[in-house]
Amino acid sequence: MQKILTVDYETSDSRVNFGQVLQAGIVVSDEKLNIESKHNLRCRLKPNVIPSIGACLVHKIPVDILKNFNKSHYEMVIEHYNLIKKFTPSIVMGFNSVSFDLEFYRRMLFKSLIPDIYQTNTKGNKHLDILNVSRAAKFVNDDSINTIMSEKNRPSFKLSDLSIANNIDNGESHDALNDCLNTIDLARIIFNKSNKIWNDSLKSTTKKDTENFILKNKIYTSLEYFYGNTHPYLVHHIFFHPEYSSWSINWDMSVNPDNYINMDRQTLSKALDSSPKIIRTVRANKSVVLLNAEYALSNLKYSKIGIDEIHRRIKILDENHQFIDQIKSILSDKVREKMSMDQTELLHEETIYGGGFIKEKDALIMKKFHEVDWNEKLNLIDKFSEERFHYLAECLIYEERPEVLPKSIFNKIHRSFAKRLLSTNKEKWETIPGCFSEIDTLRETKYKDDKAMLSLINQYDKFIIEIRNKFESA
């Protein structure tokens, strides 16, 4: 029987390319969500990462753990990787995990020179995002889960709010292990009260299965969430995006193609950018929940059109290949134009996707890198064929065993991070001046009368001062 691995992370901040995971919760259960084992992984803060004070005040990880925990980030990554490997193939489940947690995990692997960056969705592993499942369940059956209203008077789908609304309590929220348990309890409610939606969600846990559903169904219901509400769209797949192969491009069946089919290219291009949209994009690799056409057809927007007219529109789209090719060409040009306008050079930490796939030669060196001691690791650096892996290897040794590095290399890396972290500009990463500025603002505004939070802020402030002093002398 396939296992379900529920994962959740607490991180230094939300910037996946430059932050780090500080705590990883992993709970192993069977397909019916009966818990079999719990794993609470922690590590100390990397020496070249500044935590966001906002994130710190959410997870409240003590400074002593950030400074002195007996496990490094690299050691935690290896433990995490081996745990997923042990239970492969499994369904890797989380809450908003596909957009956040799993993107962090891929970069954990990438920056730790583990070539298997797609571990959680290859070799039979699948993704299941309970945020998407929760929204779908609530849309189909309002009684499936309870929600509370946000400050904007909209149903809140934050895990902490859903836990309160559904009487789920596994301890303090924003602890990775507790949030795993809360996610499982929420999933169990959906499993029991909306089992059909649960089973439907399992049909799109891989890119291939999602694409098969899309191609098999002439029309289907795609759910989109914005302005605090779930919106159903009755759509017909017309092609996969020429630049992003996992994006299914769909025609919204509320739109009559007769009004567009004879447009010239320029007019059609403007129409594709206009609101309301005539096409809807479904990302087949994002653990979306796709439903049968009947759900959208029950909406007045589509029911008033009638099924005969909808089938007529499908026939027009399917028979007018030149029109579809025109849309495909326009979308391709828009992507290429955007890419040509963005001349920002990627830093090595940002090249997980933009740098292309890892070459077999470098993957073999990475494998050996993890098998030898730190002195031997140093000798492997120059064997990498790409500069980004040369850089990541130096950084990894700097973080884990700086004494192994020759003084010249250590100074080069240390000064580079000093320049980066002491920057007074608005950067892609958390900076020391930026952190201090946010601390001062929080002291003077939000928490000025909260003694407990002010005490916590002061502890983090002293810690950041210690880090600053190490880099100011670089």
Side-chain angles (χ1 to χ4, degrees):
M1 190 189 305
Q2 193 171 48
K3 305 295 184 186
I4 295 178
L5 307 183
T6 304
V7 300
D8 188 85
Y9 303 143
E10 297 303 325
T11 63
S12 63
D13 62 46
S14 61
R15 287 161 281 199
V16 295
N17 288 314
F18 299 99
Q20 75 163 92
V21 172
L22 298 168
Q23 182 197 14
I26 304 175
V27 178
V28 182
S29 62
D30 64 19
E31 288 182 325
K32 294 185 178 180
L33 300 168
N34 297 305
I35 293 173
E36 297 180 354
S37 62
K38 304 173 188 177
H39 308 267
N40 189 8
L41 283 56
R42 288 188 182 273
C43 69
R44 57 184 175 268
L45 187 72
K46 295 201 289 186
N48 50 0
V49 170
I50 303 300
S52 158
I53 187 62
C56 289
L57 295 180
V58 170
H59 58 60
K60 299 178 182 176
I61 296 175
V63 168
D64 185 57
I65 288 180
L66 297 179
K67 288 173 61 175
N68 303 315
F69 196 72
N70 61 5
K71 188 175 291 179
S72 71
H73 180 261
Y74 174 71
E75 289 167 339
M76 186 189 74
V77 171
I78 297 299
E79 183 181 3
H80 190 316
Y81 175 77
N82 288 333
L83 193 56
I84 300 291
K85 186 177 180 180
K86 176 182 177 181
F87 290 104
T88 295
S90 292
I91 295 173
V92 181
M93 183 174 84
F95 192 91
N96 195 30
S97 53
V98 171
S99 297
F100 182 74
D101 300 83
L102 296 178
E103 288 298 332
F104 244 110
Y105 182 59
R106 285 178 179 173
R107 285 157 180 80
M108 285 168 62
L109 299 178
F110 176 67
K111 291 192 285 185
S112 298
L113 296 176
I114 298 175
D116 193 10
I117 61 173
Y118 297 104
Q119 183 192 29
T120 59
N121 65 325
T122 54
K123 299 176 183 175
N125 288 327
K126 304 175 180 181
H127 288 164
L128 180 62
D129 197 322
I130 296 302
L131 172 59
N132 295 338
V133 181
S134 299
R135 287 171 172 167
K138 187 68 173 175
F139 166 75
V140 171
N141 175 13
D142 190 59
D143 295 327
S144 61
I145 56 172
N146 299 321
T147 55
I148 59 177
M149 305 306 284
S150 69
E151 293 179 356
K152 295 182 178 180
N153 201 33
R154 296 168 180 163
S156 172
F157 281 88
K158 291 181 178 178
L159 179 59
S160 56
D161 289 342
L162 288 172
S163 297
I164 293 170
N166 292 279
N167 298 314
I168 297 169
D169 184 6
N170 289 288
E172 191 80 21
S173 291
H174 304 295
D175 172 273
L177 189 58
N178 291 350
D179 283 352
C180 283
L181 298 173
N182 290 344
T183 299
I184 291 171
D185 283 350
L186 181 62
R188 194 179 288 119
I189 291 172
I190 299 168
F191 179 89
N192 291 327
K193 296 179 71 173
S194 295
N195 193 253
K196 186 178 186 307
I197 294 300
W198 178 263
N199 289 328
D200 284 341
S201 69
L202 297 179
K203 296 175 183 176
S204 52
T205 51
T206 70
K207 176 176 176 284
K208 182 178 180 180
D209 287 345
T210 306
E211 290 173 349
N212 287 341
F213 177 94
I214 290 169
L215 295 173
K216 182 180 177 182
N217 292 273
K218 275 287 185 182
I219 49 175
Y220 64 93
T221 301
S222 171
L223 301 177
E224 296 185 23
Y225 186 84
F226 51 88
Y227 301 134
N229 293 296
T230 301
H231 302 266
Y233 290 93
L234 183 68
V235 296
H236 170 63
H237 169 80
I238 53 177
F239 58 82
F240 288 104
H241 198 291
E243 306 298 327
Y244 304 117
S245 61
S246 62
W247 292 15
S248 167
I249 305 302
N250 299 264
W251 190 270
D252 183 349
M253 297 315 298
S254 68
V255 179
N256 188 345
D258 291 338
N259 299 329
Y260 298 86
I261 209 157
N262 293 316
M263 285 182 175
D264 60 61
R265 183 184 180 89
Q266 185 176 5
T267 306
L268 180 57
S269 179
K270 290 180 180 179
L272 292 174
D273 289 335
S274 300
S275 182
K277 296 178 181 178
I278 62 177
I279 59 174
R280 317 301 306 189
T281 301
V282 173
R283 300 190 182 191
N285 60 346
K286 292 297 183 181
S287 185
V288 293
V289 179
L290 304 179
L291 304 174
N292 293 331
E294 63 193 60
Y295 293 102
L297 282 169
S298 64
N299 187 291
L300 181 62
K301 177 182 177 180
Y302 297 102
S303 63
K304 68 181 182 182
I305 297 172
I307 195 65
D308 290 341
E309 170 61 13
I310 287 171
H311 283 304
R312 187 193 72 83
R313 292 177 182 183
I314 292 172
K315 189 171 186 291
I316 290 173
L317 292 167
D318 287 349
E319 291 179 352
N320 282 271
H321 304 295
Q322 188 174 353
F323 174 62
I324 300 302
D325 287 342
Q326 182 87 300
I327 296 175
K328 187 183 295 186
S329 175
I330 289 170
L331 294 184
S332 180
D333 284 352
K334 287 180 185 293
V335 170
R336 292 176 181 177
E337 181 182 0
K338 185 178 179 180
M339 292 173 68
S340 67
M341 291 175 62
D342 184 6
Q343 298 298 322
T344 306
E345 185 176 353
L346 295 177
L347 297 174
H348 293 307
E349 292 93 338
E350 301 174 289
T351 62
I352 184 170
Y353 302 133
F357 290 108
I358 299 170
K359 298 182 179 70
E360 184 178 355
K361 175 190 174 183
D362 287 328
L364 291 172
I365 298 171
M366 290 177 187
K367 183 176 183 296
K368 187 174 182 181
F369 187 89
H370 301 291
E371 295 171 348
V372 300
D373 64 26
W374 287 97
N375 286 301
E376 284 299 311
K377 284 178 171 56
L378 182 65
N379 296 330
L380 289 174
I381 290 177
D382 290 332
K383 297 186 182 301
F384 286 111
S385 67
E386 292 190 54
E387 184 183 347
R388 57 176 175 161
F389 300 130
H390 186 286
Y391 168 81
L392 293 174
E394 287 186 342
C395 288
L396 191 56
I397 298 173
Y398 169 84
E399 294 162 3
E400 297 291 324
R401 295 290 189 278
E403 68 278 5
V404 169
L405 289 171
K407 193 68 175 174
S408 60
I409 296 178
F410 174 86
N411 288 339
K412 177 192 71 174
I413 298 172
H414 190 62
R415 287 167 184 160
S416 171
F417 280 116
K419 182 179 179 181
R420 178 183 288 191
L421 299 179
L422 292 169
S423 170
T424 56
N425 298 325
K426 186 174 178 59
E427 303 287 3
K428 301 175 184 178
W429 51 85
E430 186 65 77
T431 65
I432 292 170
C435 186
F436 284 146
S437 176
E438 189 176 0
I439 285 173
D440 290 341
T441 299
L442 291 173
R443 280 172 171 160
E444 296 167 4
T445 55
K446 187 175 182 179
Y447 298 116
K448 66 178 182 178
D449 298 319
D450 190 328
K451 290 184 179 179
M453 291 301 284
L454 285 173
S455 174
L456 189 59
I457 289 171
N458 289 338
Q459 292 174 47
Y460 289 123
D461 187 37
K462 290 177 182 177
F463 179 42
I464 303 302
I465 289 173
E466 291 178 20
I467 298 175
R468 180 193 63 185
N469 292 341
K470 292 177 183 177
F471 283 106
E472 279 187 333
S473 60

